[in-house]
Amino acid sequence: MNTQKMIRQASIAACKKLNPLYLMKNPVMFVVAIGFILVVVLTMFPTMFGESSRLFNASVASILFITIWFSNFAESIAEGRGRAQVQTLKQTKTTTKATRILADGTEQMVQAEQLQKGDLVIVRAGETIPNDGEVVEGIATVDESAITGESAPVVKERSGDFSSVTGGTVVTSDWLKIEITSMPGDSFLDKMIRLIEGASRQKTPNEIALNTLLVSLTIIFLLVVVTLLPMANYLNISLSVATLIALTVCLIPTTIGGLLSAIGIAGMDRVTKFNVIAMSGKAVEASGDVDTLILDKTGTITYGNRMATAFLPVQGVTAQELMEMAWLSSLADETPEGKSIITLAEQQGVDQINKHHILQTATVIPFTAQTRMSGVDLAEGLQVRKGSYDAMIKMATHVPNDLEEVVKQVSSVGGTPLVVMRGRQLLGVIYLKDIVKEGLKERFAQLRAMGIKTIMCTGDNPLTAAAIAQEAGVDGFIAESRPEDKIAVIKAEQALGKVVAMTGDGTNDAPALAQANVGLAMNSGTNAAKEAANMVDLDSDPTKIIEVVEIGKQLLMTRGALTTFSIANDVAKYFAIIPAMLMVAIPQMKTLNIMHLHSPTSAIISALLFNALIIPLLIPIAMKGVRYQPMNANHLLNRNLLIYGLGGMVIPFIGIKIIDLVITPLIS
């Protein structure tokens, strides 16, 4: 959406939000609206309270209207940015046909909207997945760029953490049989659209607390203005009702009141730009206070599949011999581990010319839980196997002296040893490793610098867990953990008063994601994980929590900075206006009129105009957010007081004086 169109739509939306029932949601602006109505009445009936300056009343009413409209405009601009992203998502929700599989196995073409939860559909290459579901049969690549923006297709298959598929994505190869898990209109894509549009946005506890503060300040300043009237009468100073209303509006915290909603909406919008969908503003806000991050290992820290990284021959066997036999034993192995062995062997020079011929003439020996090995029987009678150390040594005629040492060496660093055998001869070990995702160590160092402790949870044994934890650079780990162990860790941290974030992608992570203050589920994971979390990372990058935390801190900083500015701003306006208002009746007050404002009328109009104009001028800061820099709380407080506190005191004096110089010739 271009900027001009967004501004035009926000302007229209700002007018629609002038409804008093809507304004009641913002107590500060509701007070301004009441003041506007009263001044309009005074403009229409200037003698009602003995007042006769219709022009002054009309000027005040106009400025109050602009103030309310600017507040609505700030919120509408923030919402408009989210709707621009929604349009992109809605483009994927075209009318889709689906091939439903009936109970007798026959296929039936239906509209996607007719599918119900539990229906089975088959989606072939080039077809769109009609709704969210779980793969029950088949393996295929799926283009998820419609929701993630990532062009590379991802592999989806039955079982595991990569069986979940999202409606609106496209199968690019082979086929998938899918069980539909969402009702029409309740898919993940539908939920994303509703969330970004802000239909379910609720105020966060911090925002509610700040609203309470703003209401309290508004009441205090109302009391100040009310007590000002009898004091003025005692001093024989005539103050009109319009003047008192104008003074009230200038003193109450209209600046932060007008920007508060925009700040919250913009925070949710910023996480969306990082391909993270926040289920509520509360989740974004809580992320700014995270102390501890709990991470699942498989699929989060590691890719989730063990990959071949080295061939380790025993004495008397060449590396080439071992590679060739490992390659032969894996030719018919369609598992990720088997494919990685083929890839590594071919990268290291194994000749693959006769691959298809070998497969056509060989007998495939599949892996079973009983034998714990797999391989092939070649046509010439040669048997090649790979499998666990315990299973393989039972079949061998001789166990090399150094084989056990090689197996222990691989196990000690968290790897999985697969022993290769030709006939009855043991040749060596294939080193399978759970691959840690690139760049994680540096990213975890960033989290540490932000004061966030990282803990890895894994079902692996302590030895493997320790090796992965060291390679990834986490602060601690829990080995052989079950779902209830993850919840126990989170509860223990929360009992210490800490805010806990959890990232995960599996069904077994769902309870912990629900328990954590911030639950970030990977989009590549299961529907159960995504349902339990309050954030979903469309890129399935566990370190995305760094950006989420920074945005959360930025949200809190922006709110605090603009609140500081607003309160300082109100105090400055108080000292700018009061002397100018009273200097006619009390000449001694001229000494305090340090800006030398022309008259009480020009002072009030200038202050009101500044009060209205400062809201749109601060919209860019509310939208972009105050730049986050890791620092301690005291340093941050001092910095905000210096920049936004001092700025809030100085800028009103400058702004009001400039406006006074401009309008004085017009009202003289």
Side-chain angles (χ1 to χ4, degrees):
M1 186 185 296
N2 61 53
T3 304
Q4 289 184 346
K5 185 177 180 181
M6 188 182 296
I7 291 175
R8 183 168 61 253
Q9 291 184 354
S11 300
I12 296 171
C15 294
K16 293 178 179 178
K17 291 179 179 181
L18 293 172
N19 184 335
L21 294 176
Y22 185 87
L23 290 175
M24 287 180 68
K25 298 177 183 178
N26 188 333
V28 177
M29 284 302 146
F30 186 63
V31 170
V32 178
I34 293 173
F36 163 71
I37 294 170
L38 289 174
V39 178
V40 167
V41 172
L42 291 174
T43 304
M44 297 172 64
F45 306 102
T47 58
M48 180 177 293
F49 294 100
E51 302 184 12
S52 57
S53 181
R54 178 172 284 176
L55 179 61
F56 175 75
N57 291 348
S59 300
V60 171
S62 301
I63 298 171
L64 293 181
F65 176 82
I66 292 171
T67 303
I68 300 166
W69 187 86
F70 277 150
S71 171
N72 292 343
F73 179 74
E75 184 176 1
S76 299
I77 278 286
E79 292 172 344
R81 287 174 60 175
R83 290 195 182 98
Q85 294 171 327
V86 164
Q87 296 307 315
T88 303
L89 292 174
K90 283 184 175 178
Q91 289 172 7
T92 67
K93 287 188 63 58
T94 55
T95 301
T96 305
K97 288 191 174 183
T99 305
R100 180 164 56 189
I101 301 174
L102 303 179
D104 60 2
T106 58
E107 297 180 2
Q108 177 190 39
M109 292 296 295
V110 297
Q111 295 293 329
E113 292 78 9
Q114 295 176 255
L115 293 174
Q116 299 297 314
K117 188 174 181 179
D119 282 350
L120 288 177
V121 298
I122 186 165
V123 187
R124 298 180 174 89
E127 296 179 349
T128 300
I129 295 173
N131 208 338
D132 295 354
E134 294 283 341
V135 176
V136 295
E137 188 178 338
I139 178 170
T141 55
V142 177
D143 178 5
E144 295 187 327
S145 58
I147 59 171
T148 67
E150 181 59 51
S151 57
V154 294
V155 177
K156 296 290 183 177
E157 57 187 322
R158 180 184 177 182
S159 73
D161 292 340
F162 297 93
S163 61
S164 171
V165 291
T166 304
T169 57
V170 179
V171 174
T172 56
S173 72
D174 304 290
W175 58 271
L176 295 172
K177 185 183 287 186
I178 299 166
E179 180 181 350
I180 300 300
T181 57
S182 297
M183 296 296 289
D186 198 35
S187 69
F188 180 60
L189 198 60
D190 291 311
K191 290 176 183 176
M192 284 201 302
I193 291 170
R194 288 197 295 269
L195 288 166
I196 298 174
E197 285 180 322
S200 60
R201 180 182 179 271
Q202 297 179 339
K203 289 183 178 179
T204 65
N206 188 289
E207 196 172 346
I208 293 171
L210 185 53
N211 260 318
T212 303
L213 172 64
L214 298 184
V215 170
S216 301
L217 289 174
T218 300
I219 293 171
I220 290 170
F221 281 119
L222 279 171
L223 292 175
V224 168
V225 173
V226 168
T227 57
L228 191 63
L229 183 60
M231 290 174 60
N233 290 335
Y234 178 77
L235 296 171
N236 294 320
I237 300 172
S238 177
L239 293 178
S240 67
V241 174
T243 298
L244 292 174
I245 291 173
L247 182 61
T248 301
V249 171
C250 285
L251 297 185
I252 63 177
T254 51
T255 305
I256 187 62
L259 295 170
L260 193 57
S261 293
I263 294 169
I265 295 170
M268 292 183 69
D269 174 58
R270 280 196 292 275
V271 296
T272 306
K273 285 188 172 181
F274 283 98
N275 262 8
V276 174
I277 302 299
M279 306 302 181
S280 69
K282 182 179 179 181
V284 181
E285 185 177 281
S287 65
D289 291 323
V290 167
D291 302 296
T292 305
L293 171 62
I294 311 294
L295 303 106
D296 176 50
K297 187 207 77 172
T298 305
T300 303
I301 289 179
T302 65
Y303 284 105
N305 294 317
R306 296 171 301 170
M307 309 292 284
T309 57
F311 299 106
L312 307 173
V314 295
Q315 289 181 355
V317 178
T318 66
Q320 186 68 24
E321 282 182 274
L322 175 60
M323 282 192 296
E324 288 177 355
M325 293 305 106
W327 180 79
L328 282 170
S329 70
S330 304
L331 281 179
D333 189 345
E334 292 298 322
T335 65
E337 292 87 351
K339 291 177 181 178
S340 74
I341 293 170
I342 294 288
T343 301
L344 182 63
E346 292 176 354
Q347 286 175 350
Q348 296 190 7
V350 169
D351 186 2
Q352 52 179 309
I353 294 175
N354 298 320
K355 179 189 292 187
H356 297 294
H357 174 71
I358 293 170
L359 282 175
Q360 287 173 355
T361 58
T363 301
V364 176
I365 308 300
F367 176 88
T368 66
Q370 290 75 28
T371 63
R372 292 190 295 163
M373 66 176 69
S374 64
V376 293
D377 289 345
L378 302 179
E380 57 268 27
L382 180 63
Q383 296 180 337
V384 184
R385 300 285 187 273
K386 68 177 189 293
S388 70
Y389 172 72
D390 293 338
M392 301 298 278
I393 61 174
K394 290 178 182 178
M395 293 182 61
T397 55
H398 170 69
V399 179
N401 295 330
D402 59 336
L403 180 61
E404 185 178 359
E405 184 61 31
V406 174
V407 170
K408 285 183 178 179
Q409 179 185 343
V410 171
S411 299
S412 66
V413 292
T416 300
L418 276 185
V419 177
V420 179
M421 184 169 63
R422 177 178 56 196
R424 300 289 177 175
Q425 180 190 7
L426 297 173
L427 304 177
V429 171
I430 304 170
Y431 175 13
L432 294 181
K433 181 182 177 184
D434 209 353
I435 304 296
V436 174
K437 294 181 178 179
E438 295 85 357
L440 278 187
K441 194 163 190 174
E442 294 76 15
R443 302 281 276 172
F444 288 145
Q446 284 182 259
L447 286 169
R448 198 172 297 111
M450 295 164 67
I452 298 173
K453 179 174 69 174
T454 53
I455 300 174
M456 179 186 77
C457 290
T458 175
D460 290 333
N461 62 66
L463 202 61
T464 301
I468 296 292
Q470 183 177 7
E471 185 178 354
V474 295
D475 297 317
F477 67 90
I478 299 171
E480 300 175 343
S481 68
R482 299 162 298 171
E484 52 267 34
D485 295 327
K486 297 175 185 178
I487 295 177
V489 173
I490 293 172
K491 287 183 176 180
E493 291 288 318
Q494 290 172 333
L496 297 174
K498 295 181 179 180
V499 176
V500 181
M502 165 77 189
T503 67
D505 62 350
T507 301
N508 63 333
D509 297 321
L513 287 167
Q515 176 65 40
N517 303 90
V518 179
L520 179 64
M522 305 295 103
N523 187 49
S524 62
T526 62
N527 282 327
K530 289 186 278 189
E531 290 288 341
N534 50 23
M535 287 188 181
V536 177
D537 175 23
L538 301 181
D539 295 329
S540 300
D541 176 5
T543 64
K544 190 73 70 67
I545 193 71
I546 292 176
E547 280 79 14
V548 173
V549 167
E550 287 184 352
I551 290 169
K553 289 184 180 295
Q554 189 181 46
L555 171 64
L556 296 175
M557 284 177 59
T558 302
R559 195 177 284 159
L562 292 184
T563 301
T564 302
F565 180 90
S566 180
I567 294 173
N569 188 30
D570 294 332
V571 173
K573 284 183 288 185
Y574 183 89
F575 286 102
I577 300 170
I578 297 297
M581 286 177 54
L582 301 180
M583 64 184 182
V584 174
I586 308 175
Q588 294 84 350
M589 294 293 288
K590 287 184 179 180
T591 306
L592 297 177
N593 184 22
I594 57 177
M595 288 189 292
H596 302 290
L597 300 179
H598 181 263
S599 66
T601 300
S602 72
I604 293 168
I605 298 295
S606 299
L608 267 182
L609 271 174
F610 175 83
N611 193 64
L613 294 174
I614 197 64
I615 294 176
L617 291 176
L618 290 175
I619 287 178
I621 295 178
M623 298 291 289
K624 187 177 180 181
V626 176
R627 188 163 66 94
Y628 169 71
Q629 290 178 322
M631 61 180 69
N632 64 51
N634 289 334
H635 189 185
L636 181 62
L637 177 62
N638 293 333
R639 178 175 174 270
N640 279 349
L641 287 175
L642 178 64
I643 297 175
Y644 295 95
L646 184 61
M649 291 290 290
V650 173
I651 290 175
F653 284 92
I654 299 172
I656 291 171
K657 178 59 179 178
I658 292 173
I659 296 172
D660 181 72
L661 292 173
V662 173
I663 68 169
T664 294
L666 301 176
I667 62 176
S668 298

